[in-house]
Amino acid sequence: MSTVRIRATVNGQVRESEVDARRLLIHWLRDDLGLTGSHVGCDTSNCGACTCLLGDEAIKSCTVLAAQADGLEITTIEGMSQDGELHPLQAAFRDEHGLQCGYCTPGMIMAAEGLLRRNPNPSEEEVRHGLEGNLCRCTGYQNIVKAVITASQHGPGAGTREPEGAQV
């Protein structure tokens, strides 16, 4: 078994590990770092439950090797709220009843965060297109889309928050 040493900033903290060269990012986050907010839904990149941010881009962490994240910044759902305050996207999902059963919610919020970083004022159609690839098995897309639009109306706080400094 070949291993590689990786170092990445995860939710503002520098994290280092020796991992199997074939280890997927989702398994490094969940199993090694204990960040279980990202879910392993389908393990084939179809559902988006494992979505997190790699830099500013929403990615499905079941399709990325942990080694590919070396030197990069990763944000998971655990890194969204700050000082006990919900991120505007989290608050909007709660307020607009976009949570449903909650299984897809972390992936939906991270996909929405990636969308809002690229496009802070998306139309409904752009939100629907931006969330393609993230499945809600409760079929509650209308409230999810409404939540993303509500969050986008909070301005720069939604989707454009500055990352915090890394800690060693």
Side-chain angles (χ1 to χ4, degrees), residues 15-27:
R15 307 293 296 261
E16 285 188 71
S17 296
E18 190 84 19
V19 299
D20 182 330
R22 298 172 296 166
R23 189 162 187 77
L24 293 173
L25 180 58
I26 184 66
H27 298 301

Side-chain angles (χ1 to χ4, degrees), residues 7-110:
R7 178 185 167 107
T9 302
V10 182
N11 299 331
Q13 295 185 333
V14 173
R15 307 293 296 261
E16 285 188 71
S17 296
E18 190 84 19
V19 299
D20 182 330
R22 298 172 296 166
R23 189 162 187 77
L24 293 173
L25 180 58
I26 184 66
H27 298 301
W28 185 58
L29 294 170
R30 287 182 57 85
D31 303 336
D32 297 352
L33 304 183
L35 299 170
T36 57
S38 302
H39 296 148
V40 180
C42 64
D43 229 2
T44 58
S45 79
N46 288 316
C47 76
C50 65
T51 303
C52 66
L53 295 182
L54 195 58
D56 285 331
E57 184 177 351
I59 56 105
K60 294 177 180 178
S61 60
C62 74
T63 64
V64 174
L65 295 172
Q68 292 175 289
D70 184 45
L72 299 177
E73 184 171 319
I74 301 166
T75 306
T76 68
I77 192 69
E78 290 91 344
M80 295 294 283
S81 65
Q82 297 292 314
D83 302 322
E85 296 286 326
L86 293 177
H87 182 278
L89 270 166
Q90 293 171 309
F93 268 69
R94 178 197 60 205
D95 295 345
E96 300 293 348
H97 307 285
L99 299 170
Q100 306 295 319
C101 78
Y103 192 82
C104 71
T105 304
M108 288 284 186
I109 288 175
M110 299 313 295

